[in-house]
Amino acid sequence: MIIIISLTFTVMYIINILLMATAESFKIAFEEYPKRVCFAQLSLDTYGFENPDEVTPEQYKAKREETIEKLKAHEGIENVYFTQFLNYRYSAIVGSVGEEFPLLDKEEIPSYLKHMNAELIDGRMPENDGEILVDTHIMKNQHYSIGDNFQGKSFGDTFKVVGVLESECFACAGTPKGYSNNGFGYVILCDEKNCDMKKVFADIGITITDLDGISDINTGRDFIEKEVEKEINASLSGIIIVVMAFLAIAIMTGYISSMRNRMNEYCLYTSLGFSKKEVYGMMMREIFFNFIIGIIGGAVITAAAIFIIIKLVFEPLGLMYGILYPMLLLKITAAFAAIVGVLQIPAAVIINNIKTIDRIEE
């Protein structure tokens, strides 16, 4: 029983650690990154053109430049570019995501990196077209080395990795090469208090609609909450229910068999003067002892397993992770308590069938 409890604790906690590494990692890209830089692609309707089909390139450019100046004048906006951007890929234990980063003139990159609090730790700054700086976590995650093609499956040898960045939010940057990119749009360098782009644009007289593409703190948090944490929590709840159901069946089967085999022992205790209540207390102490030792053993095994996973999986893949999850511990404790509660039924049946030693044969 102790071994089963220990392994159950370990399996549930390790599954949680692995799944939650996805949420912990994606939060950097979708909740921390947008606190420093947001992206926007506006439709012609949003610019206020009544007849979009009749808009000339000159009119569009003038409206775009006007929007940039208004954004730059907004509190908390450090700079705004209208430029090309790429997406980096980042794969967790479950799922893979992409996030935008800008392609800038090489002269603009140092100020962008300063705003992102990113430092070049290996390689060099971009000097030519199509050269990319990649965050160290993305480097590990996608198995890049300096000189490798960046997003080679999509762009072939168009873009090259020339440097490695260390940052708090997976910052990447690069220079454009022709029209190979994932789109054009506004790259808005903001602070944490002004990273809600619907509000920022509303402040300058532009109403964002569903026709516009916005990547900011709100879209990031919505993605984490609805697409990541919701799915992970549902999966974890299902796993806990299934694992605990099998654990309950295994423990019930083993415990009932053990109590039946010890019936004569319990009868002997009553013959020696122990009350049924005292025998029941002894049975409960044994159950609690098994669970406590099982949980302690599981915690030790889990700690060792987490250390191995960190060194062999998380760090080599550049994944973020958490270690202590109080809510999970509470759920596991509640599940174990429920099993102990269910064990009261066979214990009560055994207690009622206890006889003194002189009536055992009956």
Side-chain angles (χ1 to χ4, degrees):
M1 184 184 296
I2 292 175
I3 293 175
I4 292 174
I5 294 169
S6 296
L7 293 179
T8 299
F9 181 94
T10 298
V11 167
M12 287 194 296
Y13 207 90
I14 292 302
I15 289 175
N16 178 83
I17 290 285
L18 292 173
L19 290 178
M20 289 306 296
T22 298
E24 299 288 348
S25 299
F26 289 176
K27 280 180 180 180
I28 301 298
F30 290 92
E31 292 188 352
E32 296 303 319
Y33 186 69
K35 293 177 182 179
R36 299 173 186 263
V37 58
C38 298
F39 297 82
Q41 294 171 291
L42 305 185
S43 66
L44 292 176
D45 289 336
T46 298
Y47 282 120
F49 293 114
E50 294 182 1
N51 298 304
D53 293 337
E54 299 178 3
V55 176
T56 66
E58 291 75 17
Q59 290 175 314
Y60 175 68
K61 183 178 180 181
K63 193 66 175 179
R64 192 179 69 207
E65 290 177 350
E66 177 189 343
T67 302
I68 289 175
E69 292 306 314
K70 288 182 178 180
L71 285 170
K72 286 182 177 180
H74 191 284
E75 180 184 2
I77 304 301
E78 180 178 313
N79 205 348
V80 181
Y81 310 102
F82 188 87
T83 186
Q84 306 177 44
F85 55 82
L86 284 182
N87 286 38
Y88 64 72
R89 299 303 303 172
Y90 185 76
S91 301
I93 300 299
V94 179
S96 179
V97 295
E99 184 63 292
E100 298 97 341
F101 67 89
L103 299 177
L104 306 169
D105 293 338
K106 63 181 182 180
E107 294 81 10
E108 296 172 326
I109 291 177
S111 61
Y112 175 78
L113 297 183
K114 182 179 180 181
H115 174 80
M116 301 301 291
N117 196 23
E119 179 184 358
L120 182 69
I121 60 173
D122 195 11
R124 61 173 175 81
M125 295 289 286
E127 299 173 356
N128 304 300
D129 293 346
E131 294 185 337
I132 308 296
L133 302 175
V134 183
D135 178 82
T136 182
H137 293 89
I138 309 300
M139 291 286 290
K140 292 178 181 179
N141 188 263
Q142 297 297 303
H143 308 292
Y144 287 134
S145 297
I146 292 177
D148 286 351
N149 295 329
F150 181 83
Q151 292 280 31
K153 291 183 179 180
S154 299
F155 300 104
D157 60 358
T158 303
F159 298 101
K160 296 285 185 183
V161 177
V162 298
V164 183
L165 298 175
E166 186 171 71
S167 70
E168 300 171 349
C169 56
F170 297 172
C172 298
T175 52
K177 190 169 184 179
Y179 290 94
S180 296
N181 60 78
N182 290 110
F184 285 77
Y186 295 98
V187 178
I188 304 164
L189 306 189
C190 58
D191 61 20
E192 187 173 348
K193 294 180 179 180
N194 295 276
C195 53
D196 178 347
M197 287 299 108
K198 283 190 175 181
K199 182 179 183 305
V200 169
F201 277 103
D203 290 343
I204 65 171
I206 295 177
T207 301
I208 298 300
T209 71
D210 292 339
L211 297 176
D212 305 312
I214 298 294
S215 178
D216 66 357
I217 190 65
N218 291 325
T219 59
R221 285 174 176 167
D222 283 348
F223 174 77
I224 292 297
E225 180 181 343
K226 297 176 182 178
E227 303 296 331
V228 179
E229 291 182 335
K230 183 179 179 181
E231 295 299 324
I232 287 176
N233 289 333
S235 298
L236 283 173
S237 297
I239 290 171
I240 289 176
I241 291 173
V242 171
V243 170
M244 282 302 174
F246 281 105
L247 176 65
I249 294 172
I251 289 180
M252 285 282 289
T253 302
Y255 188 62
I256 291 173
S257 176
S258 173
M259 287 191 296
R260 285 177 176 174
N261 292 335
R262 297 177 62 186
M263 179 63 75
N264 287 349
E265 177 185 342
Y266 298 144
C267 291
L268 179 60
Y269 288 145
T270 58
S271 297
L272 294 175
F274 289 92
S275 66
K276 289 186 177 181
K277 183 177 180 180
E278 290 173 323
V279 175
Y280 173 79
M282 177 191 68
M283 295 166 65
M284 290 302 102
R285 285 192 294 273
E286 289 180 356
I287 291 175
F288 282 115
F289 176 80
N290 287 336
F291 270 90
I292 291 171
I293 296 301
I295 291 172
I296 293 173
V300 172
I301 297 171
T302 300
I306 290 173
F307 178 80
I308 293 172
I309 289 171
I310 289 173
K311 295 300 180 182
L312 298 183
V313 180
F314 292 159
E315 290 183 356
L317 290 178
L319 297 179
M320 313 304 290
Y321 56 88
I323 295 177
L324 186 61
Y325 291 94
M327 285 303 299
L328 176 67
L329 292 174
L330 184 62
K331 289 180 180 180
I332 293 175
T333 301
F336 282 159
I339 292 175
V340 172
V342 172
L343 289 177
Q344 305 305 304
I345 299 174
V349 173
I350 294 295
I351 288 295
N352 288 332
N353 289 331
I354 289 178
K355 302 175 181 178
T356 55
I357 195 71
D358 58 325
R359 300 181 63 188
I360 288 179
E361 296 303 324
E362 298 178 13

